[in-house]
Amino acid sequence: MKPHLLQVATVPNRSFSIRQELMPNVNSRWHCHAEVEMVLFHRGSGTQFVGDSIRRFKAGDVVLIGTNLPHYWHYDHEDYATHAKFPYATVIHFSENFWGDRFLNLPENKGIKYVLERAKRGIFLEENLKLKVADLIEKLYHAEGSYRLMLLMESLQIASQCDNSSLLASIGFRHETSDIENERLNMIYNYTLQNFHNKISLDEVASLVGLAPNSFCRYFKSKTGKQYSRFLLEVRVGYACKLLLNGHLTLKQICYESGFNNFTCFYEKFKLLTGASPAIYQKTYVR
């Protein structure tokens, strides 16, 4: 999949950029950039796409995206706000070699070089690590001078402690294709995220990109590495996880709100993807 190439703005008196996003879905499309990205979510929740990985994100999460790795975050509609002083996310962008070509080859920087290489698959920081990095990012946003570099280095050093279970995209993920196919993929993603609550027929989604159902299945699998049915299932189960953690609805209500047409199917598919039944998943979180 060839993502939309995003040009990241730079500031003359800064070697790397950090900004706060006051609106959700600022770059709500499949995109990539040469810069490494580190993002801390302050509020809201939604669906996260990194390479061929699909999962939920929420406030407090920290993600590290390597150079030229396609990604985007789609916030849930109920989290939208037209005016807000409190940011949705803090986002850092920096070039891999902004500190010079020899810097990463210093023996003391082995951990930083290692994490930047692993970030090319995307890294979702674990609970114990993301709290430490989140605190550093908060300080970094207000820092000046060389202290900015020190905080960024410390954040990357902590992120280097993540194990392989934190990596997002599969090791064989590739994303080279034409701009037309990139737009097709964006259409499929956006349509699915807007309509997964309801029944989506294969004819319906295939017609969006001018393909017959069988051709669409082959096309989607070749570009994403997974069947469309699997992609749709991951979106629905991810949304069900969010509703379970909110604790406001019954299991049957969550089943239908997530786009499943019967509870047995919901139970089986949920357990297939998460390894636990909906009730056990919810109880584990509460405990």
Side-chain angles (χ1 to χ4, degrees), residues 4-219:
H4 175 71
L5 184 61
L6 180 68
Q7 298 297 324
V8 177
T10 57
V11 180
N13 63 342
R14 294 285 190 272
S15 59
F16 64 93
S17 71
I18 181 170
R19 71 175 191 275
Q20 290 189 333
E21 296 181 344
L22 299 178
M23 294 289 293
N25 295 326
V26 174
N27 289 309
S28 184
R29 62 179 290 123
W30 187 243
H31 70 278
C32 70
H33 36 72
E35 294 78 7
V36 179
E37 177 175 322
M38 182 180 287
V39 55
L40 162 63
F41 295 98
H42 299 291
R43 62 187 176 117
S45 61
T47 306
Q48 167 185 289
F49 299 79
V50 177
D52 55 359
S53 167
I54 304 170
R55 62 182 295 169
R56 297 285 301 175
F57 71 89
K58 63 183 185 304
D61 287 344
V62 177
V63 185
L64 183 63
I65 304 296
T67 178
N68 294 319
L69 176 62
H71 59 281
Y72 85 93
W73 288 273
H74 182 90
Y75 283 84
D76 295 327
H77 289 288
E78 61 264 31
D79 292 323
Y80 286 6
T82 54
H83 299 286
K85 294 182 180 180
F86 191 65
Y88 275 86
T90 298
V91 184
I92 301 170
H93 287 116
F94 61 94
S95 299
E96 273 193 342
N97 65 343
F98 81 91
W99 25 41
D101 295 332
R102 298 180 59 188
F103 180 79
L104 291 178
N105 290 322
L106 296 174
E108 292 84 357
N109 293 327
K110 181 179 179 181
I112 295 177
K113 184 177 182 180
Y114 175 65
V115 75
L116 291 177
E117 185 62 32
R118 299 176 85 208
K120 292 177 180 177
R121 289 175 57 189
I123 300 176
F124 193 91
L125 269 64
E126 302 152 355
E127 291 295 328
N128 59 327
L129 299 180
K130 74 180 183 181
L131 293 174
K132 298 177 183 179
V133 174
D135 181 59
L136 293 171
I137 292 175
E138 294 276 15
K139 294 177 181 177
L140 176 54
Y141 181 73
H142 300 285
E144 293 293 339
S146 57
Y147 193 41
R148 300 175 82 246
L149 295 172
M150 294 166 62
L151 288 168
L152 178 60
M153 290 174 62
E154 187 175 357
S155 299
L156 293 173
Q157 190 65 45
I158 292 173
S160 70
Q161 301 172 31
C162 287
D163 58 28
N164 288 336
S165 65
S166 301
L167 301 181
L168 295 171
S170 63
I171 194 169
F173 175 74
R174 297 290 182 272
H175 58 266
E176 295 83 5
T177 194
S178 69
D179 289 337
I180 293 176
E181 290 174 346
N182 173 49
E183 290 304 317
R184 277 180 164 182
L185 193 66
N186 271 306
M187 289 175 63
I188 296 167
Y189 277 9
N190 290 332
Y191 182 83
T192 304
L193 289 169
Q194 292 168 10
N195 296 279
F196 72 88
H197 307 277
N198 306 311
K199 181 179 179 180
I200 297 179
S201 70
L202 201 56
D203 288 337
E204 190 178 354
V205 70
S207 66
L208 291 174
V209 291
L211 294 173
N214 288 340
S215 299
F216 170 80
C217 290
R218 291 192 296 270
Y219 167 80

